[in-house]
Amino acid sequence: LTSAILAVDTANFEGTCPHTFVFTGYFTLTKPGTVTYSLEAENDLGAEFNLPQPTTRNLEAGTHSIFFELVFAKSLKGWTRIKFIAPEEITSNQVNFTLTCQ
């Protein structure tokens, strides 16, 4: 497992809430294998996120993409990243985001 990268559609959003942030992760497998990953996140309000359950998939070698959507109804600042626990432990870059509800 190599090159775990995470991106967000809009890192800073100001407007009507609730708002959905779309996160896209990319990773590369050098050989076929079973991959297990989960999304990790925190925010400045200490509120719990409704994160998806850890996922396990059997994949071929190559570059793969995964998508996560998080919906928020209140202004906040936070971050998220993908943690891979199989076939080896790797954590993606951390993506910061800000929501300002009007």
Side-chain angles (χ1 to χ4, degrees):
L1 177 64
T2 62
S3 69
I5 299 169
L6 183 66
V8 63
D9 61 339
T10 306
N12 299 298
F13 179 82
E14 184 173 330
T16 304
C17 291
H19 176 73
T20 302
F21 287 96
V22 179
F23 298 91
T24 305
Y26 303 95
F27 61 96
T28 302
L29 289 175
T30 57
K31 59 184 180 179
T34 302
V35 177
T36 301
Y37 57 87
S38 61
L39 190 65
E40 298 181 327
E42 288 189 15
N43 64 76
D44 63 337
L45 301 177
E48 287 191 31
F49 287 137
N50 185 18
L51 298 176
Q53 294 295 314
T55 301
T56 299
R57 298 170 55 193
N58 294 315
L59 298 170
E60 296 298 320
T63 300
H64 301 273
S65 58
I66 49 181
F67 302 93
F68 302 96
E69 291 185 350
L70 296 179
V71 180
F72 301 103
K74 296 181 180 179
S75 297
L76 59 76
K77 292 181 183 179
W79 62 262
T80 187
R81 64 185 177 202
I82 304 169
K83 182 173 184 176
F84 293 86
I85 53 177
E88 58 190 286
E89 192 166 312
I90 276 186
T91 303
S92 75
N93 59 302
Q94 181 173 300
V95 173
N96 297 314
F97 60 94
T98 302
L99 173 62
T100 305
C101 298
Q102 295 181 344

